[in-house]
Amino acid sequence: MSHQRIPANWTIQRSTPFFTKENVPAALLSHHNTAEGVFGQLCVMEGVVTYYGFADSEATEPEVTVVIKAGEFATSPPQYWHRVELSEDAQFNINFWSDKDRTNKPRTSKPMFNTK
């Protein structure tokens, strides 16, 4: 897997607040995937975030490793299993892109990512 382009007609449906080592959700540090029809765009403001991509939910060795430095971003395609690691000074957020309008849906209806 290489960096994948988000389709031009897709729009940001949700954005997270900025996360640090102190407040990053545990789910992001373990195997999880983006939901069907949802691209994740991980944007790093400070420090370094390392993205590990896995062939499936059971894989223990990553098939791809992407080091994302301050001022850079990386994408995670729909339904791709991955996890992240943060440097001590990391600060990042995630934009969730889709071709369907999910902005007015309650957060409990269709999650933007799934955990193992």
Side-chain angles (χ1 to χ4, degrees), residues 2-112:
S2 62
H3 176 79
Q4 292 191 18
R5 182 180 298 271
I6 297 169
N9 63 317
W10 287 28
T11 57
I12 295 175
Q13 301 298 310
R14 270 190 208 129
S15 294
T16 68
F18 282 97
F19 297 126
T20 64
K21 273 208 150 193
E22 287 73 41
N23 68 351
V24 64
L28 298 181
L29 302 174
S30 61
H31 259 51
H32 68 283
N33 71 359
T34 44
E36 180 179 358
V38 176
F39 256 95
Q41 178 189 33
L42 196 149
C43 304
V44 179
M45 282 291 277
E46 291 182 22
V48 175
V49 175
T50 305
Y51 172 100
Y52 298 98
F54 299 91
D56 57 47
S57 65
E58 302 306 315
T60 57
E61 293 298 317
E63 65 179 0
V64 66
T65 301
V66 180
V67 177
I68 313 156
K69 299 176 185 170
E72 298 176 343
F73 73 90
T75 60
S76 189
Q79 297 182 295
Y80 185 67
W81 290 93
H82 60 279
R83 69 176 180 83
V84 297
E85 273 182 12
L86 284 61
S87 65
E88 288 300 318
D89 59 343
Q91 186 178 38
F92 73 100
N93 82 317
I94 303 167
N95 297 315
F96 294 102
W97 294 74
S98 179
D99 65 341
K100 295 182 175 80
D101 182 10
R102 298 168 185 254
T103 55
N104 294 322
K105 308 282 190 271
R107 288 188 181 244
T108 57
S109 67
K110 269 262 193 203
M112 293 290 183

